[in-house]
Amino acid sequence: MANILVIHGPNLNLLGTREPEVYGTETLASINKHLAQMAEQNEVRLRTYQSNTEGNIISCIQQAASKDIQFIIINPGAFTHTSIAIRDAFLATRIPFIEVHVSNVYAREEFRSHSYLSDIALGVISGFGRNSYLLAFEAAIIHCNQS
Ligand code: DQA
């Protein structure tokens, strides 16, 4: 059974109330619920993790290798644009991953157009709200079934 980890970075615990004009009104709990339903339907194992702390996210990526995680979906939040350390954690563990954003980062401030992760990700999905996660999850399931 495929084992997929979804990591939500800083401030994503505030989804639902945080800048609703940008991020919508859906909460993180609701997004995780939809992911859990999809995991059940597709018979894959899902873990979700949220942290506002860069070091905790790095530890989570490092530990994923020993927990037999085959694929990671990550919304790194603002760490997307700043974190060489998260990039290095992915390079070290070599676990394939998809970078996800709720908003379309390319339609916003210029600094959001740069990511330290995109070029080493399997792919990037940005701008579809909750569906960014669900589309990434579908792609992750297909990838795990093929490998
Ligand atoms: C975000 C986009 C980032 O630029 C921002 O810092 C976030 C959320 C998104 O999901 O759209 O915190 O990753």
Side-chain angles (χ1 to χ4, degrees):
M1 193 185 260
N3 209 354
I4 299 172
L5 169 67
V6 178
I7 301 175
H8 307 283
N11 296 309
L12 293 163
N13 55 313
L14 300 180
L15 283 179
T17 55
R18 172 193 184 195
E19 297 179 83
E21 66 287 358
V22 177
Y23 298 111
T25 52
E26 184 158 6
T27 62
L28 190 62
S30 168
I31 290 172
N32 282 340
K33 202 171 115 194
H34 281 91
L35 286 168
Q37 280 166 357
M38 209 168 148
E40 202 181 318
Q41 282 159 9
N42 289 278
E43 296 180 353
V44 300
R45 208 168 292 139
L46 165 74
R47 285 169 204 235
T48 59
Y49 178 75
Q50 192 277 328
S51 178
N52 293 321
T53 306
E54 188 176 14
N56 290 347
I57 292 171
I58 292 163
S59 297
C60 181
I61 295 165
Q62 287 182 6
Q63 286 159 17
S66 60
K67 287 183 179 157
D68 203 27
I69 298 287
Q70 278 135 294
F71 202 99
I72 296 177
I73 292 165
I74 183 166
N75 183 345
F79 293 146
T80 309
H81 321 296
T82 63
S83 183
I84 297 170
I86 292 178
R87 176 187 178 89
D88 284 348
F90 278 113
L91 289 173
T93 57
R94 295 176 184 274
I95 298 173
F97 72 97
I98 295 175
E99 176 186 331
V100 155
H101 299 284
V102 174
S103 66
N104 179 357
V105 287
Y106 301 102
R108 301 180 61 193
E109 302 97 319
E110 203 179 328
F111 66 83
R112 294 187 203 274
S113 292
H114 177 260
S115 165
Y116 277 103
L117 298 175
S118 299
D119 65 306
I120 59 163
L122 210 63
V124 180
I125 301 175
S126 181
F128 297 98
R130 172 222 296 163
N131 287 332
S132 290
Y133 286 98
L134 299 185
L135 290 166
F137 202 51
E138 192 178 342
I141 292 167
I142 292 168
H143 179 89
C144 289
N145 288 339
Q146 280 171 350
S147 47

